[in-house]
Structure formats: structure tokens, C-alpha cells
Amino acid sequence: MSNHDLILSVPAPARPLRERLGSAMPLLVLGPSLVASFVYVFVFTGWTLYISLSNSSLLPTYGFVGLDNYASLWANRRWNIAYNNLFLFSGFYIIGSMAVGLLLAILIDQRVRGEAAWRTIFLYPLAVSFIVTGTVWSWLYNPVDGIQAMVRGFGWTSFSFALASDRHYAIYAVIITGVWQASGFAMALFLAGLRSVDQDLVKAAQIDGASTLRIYRKVLLPTIAPIFLAVAVIQIQFAIKTFDLVAALTKGGPGISTTFPAIYVYDLMFQRGQIGEGAAAAIMMLAALAVVLVPYSFWVVWRRRKEAGHG
């Protein structure tokens, strides 16, 4: 037997226990979270889907009724109003928060004095929960103690600012409050994007005599275009899941004018005991999220592959 064969026949030394534990540590740390995420996302989603196809009422039962709960859901006027409110709120909420956030980001990007303080002020609403935001703004909208009472106290007796009390305009009160809450978040992402642009591009445009407005329009904003999409997707998720803001601000009223799908799901499941129809409404909310997240996920994967191919 040659020396080479002897060397190959010698077993590899056992790895120390500490080294083996170190290699397994990521799996030990992430394992419980991954299992919990799988159960909460996939198992409970599947269970909710099945409940939506059952005749469950106060308690879950498993008698199959097909799409009856979905038909009953879409035949309900309140659900249709809730879904229409969701689209109206989402459109104004996303466009408004992105517009305000972009404007704030551009202003701060001018290297204004006290920039850190301004960033903190504009980001502060993001640190406040939607419950607190809704409660505070409900005071401001209150015609007895809020902005309307204050302005009328100054002598402008015809001034009216009772948005949350008018069923025709209450949805706009929710939109204004939501935009106030989310603009700081959009500002932070846009500002980070603007600060990440290669300054050589900006200097080249300045040498060519481009104005500040043209530099933003032709150089900076097109460069951070992916951030616009990311902000829009995140804001859409917030909009679809809106519950606590409306619950604190208007409680779905006046009447049912500001009912949202999440409010309606809660009402069906925990107030009326209609679990089957409530599960169907929850699945419809999940479908609305999937319409946004699935194409975005495919786009992210495609973009990464494209960048890897060019790299």
C-alpha cells in the first residue's frame, strides 16, 4: 500500500463541539421563526380559505357550501362601499404621501440649515401609532373643540372644518390623516435615494448649464425610479390593511361612509359571529394584496437577474 493510500485511509479528525454548534447556530436561531412564519402564513391562510367555503357562523364548522359566502359578501352594500373606499383611499393616500414626501425630500436635499432637526420633525409621525394619530386628528376634526371652534373663536364665524362629521367628506378626512402619517416615511426613502446618486452626474449637468429643476427632472428623479415603485408597493400594503386609523378616527362612520374591508371583517367575525363570510372577506383582502405583491416580487427577481447578467 502506498503512502498516498495510507493518507486517504486515515479518517478526518472530528470537528470540535464548539465549531459544530457554531455552524448550526444560524439554523437554531432562525428555525423557530421560519416554522412560526410558515404556520402563520400558509397554514392559517389555508385554514381561512377553507372556513370561507364552509357554513361557519358563531364557531368554525366544516360543512362545505362552496362560494355561497363570497356571493353573499359581494351582494352586501356595505362590503361594496368598503371596497370602493379602499380604492379611493389607496389612490389618494399613495399619490398624496409620495408627492408630499418627494417635495420634503427635495427641500431637505438643498442642504438646509438644521437638516437633522427637519428630518426628525417630518419623520416623527411615523413613530406614532395609527391609533394615536386617529385619536388626535379626531379631536382636530371635532367641530366643538377642534380647528373649526378655534378659527371661529378668532371671529371667522362662517368657517367650517367638520370633515369627519360629514358622510360625503369623511373619507377625505381619513385620506388627509393617512397622508400626514405616511409622508415622512416616503421622504426618508426618497432622500436616501437622492443622496445615493453619483454626484458626478449632477456636476456634469451643472457644467452643461442645466437648472436645478431640470437636473431633478432629467437626472435625479429618473435615477431613483425604482424607489418610487418600492414606496408605492409599501404604501399599498398599509392602505389595504388600514384598520386602526379608521377605528380611532371615524369608527367607520358617519353611518357606513368610511367603512373599510378590515373594519368589515372585524365586524363580521367578532360582532356578528358570521365567521364564514368574514373569512371570505379576509381572503378578498389577501387577494388584493397578492395582486400587488406577486407582480412586484416577479419584477424584483427579474431586475436582479438582469443586473447580475450585466454584471
Side-chain angles (χ1 to χ4, degrees):
M1 181 180 294
S2 65
N3 292 336
H4 179 69
D5 293 335
L6 289 174
I7 294 173
L8 291 178
S9 64
V10 175
R15 298 169 63 191
L17 178 61
R18 174 178 293 182
E19 184 178 341
R20 283 182 289 171
L21 287 176
S23 301
M25 187 59 65
L27 183 60
L28 294 175
V29 172
L30 296 177
S33 299
L34 293 175
V35 172
S37 298
F38 176 81
V39 171
Y40 278 107
V41 174
F42 295 102
V43 175
F44 286 166
T45 298
W47 184 77
T48 302
L49 177 61
Y50 186 82
I51 291 296
S52 72
L53 302 173
S54 72
N55 58 355
S56 300
S57 55
L58 185 61
L59 294 174
T61 56
Y62 301 99
F64 185 77
V65 295
L67 300 176
D68 288 357
N69 288 320
Y70 292 91
S72 175
L73 179 69
W74 285 103
N76 190 294
R77 177 171 172 266
R78 186 182 177 191
W79 172 255
N80 284 276
I81 290 176
Y83 227 69
N84 290 335
N85 284 341
L86 175 61
F87 283 103
L88 179 63
F89 172 78
S90 298
F92 282 101
Y93 171 75
I94 294 165
I95 294 174
S97 61
M98 290 179 66
V100 176
L102 180 61
L103 176 61
L104 295 176
I106 291 175
L107 292 176
I108 293 179
D109 193 44
Q110 307 308 307
R111 311 290 178 177
V112 297
R113 181 177 298 178
E115 176 183 322
W118 287 114
R119 284 203 311 264
T120 302
I121 292 172
F122 294 140
L123 274 173
Y124 176 75
L126 187 63
V128 180
S129 70
F130 275 121
I131 288 289
V132 175
T133 298
T135 301
V136 172
W137 278 83
S138 68
W139 297 339
L140 297 177
Y141 290 131
N142 191 319
V144 178
D145 327 282
I147 295 176
Q148 176 176 299
M150 181 185 69
V151 174
R152 289 186 177 184
F154 292 147
W156 188 0
T157 56
S158 62
F159 178 79
S160 178
F161 192 71
L163 290 180
S165 305
D166 190 325
R167 66 185 181 89
H168 297 292
Y169 301 105
I171 186 64
Y172 298 104
V174 179
I175 291 170
I176 292 172
T177 307
V179 168
W180 178 85
Q181 173 90 6
S183 295
F185 170 76
M187 176 214 70
L189 294 186
F190 287 139
L191 183 60
L194 291 173
R195 293 287 169 83
S196 67
V197 176
D198 188 353
Q199 291 301 305
D200 290 339
L201 297 175
V202 179
K203 292 178 181 178
Q206 291 173 339
I207 292 173
D208 289 339
S211 63
T212 301
L213 179 61
R214 189 173 181 83
I215 290 174
Y216 274 99
R217 189 162 57 90
K218 295 293 186 179
V219 178
L220 294 176
L221 296 185
T223 304
I224 65 171
I227 296 180
F228 282 86
L229 181 59
V231 172
V233 170
I234 295 172
Q235 302 291 49
I236 288 173
Q237 295 180 61
F238 288 154
I240 292 175
K241 298 182 292 185
T242 298
F243 172 82
D244 39 7
L245 175 63
V246 179
L249 183 59
T250 63
K251 298 180 177 59
I256 58 174
S257 60
T258 58
T259 298
F260 277 64
I263 295 285
Y264 191 57
V265 170
Y266 176 84
D267 185 47
L268 285 173
M269 287 189 166
F270 301 106
Q271 302 293 329
R272 302 185 183 185
Q274 298 176 5
I275 293 181
E277 191 172 333
I283 292 297
M284 295 309 303
M285 290 182 61
L286 178 62
L289 272 174
V291 167
V292 175
L293 295 182
V294 171
Y296 177 70
S297 300
F298 280 116
W299 179 82
V300 169
V301 172
W302 171 81
R303 186 166 175 266
R304 287 177 179 173
R305 289 181 177 177
K306 184 179 179 181
E307 291 177 351
H310 288 302

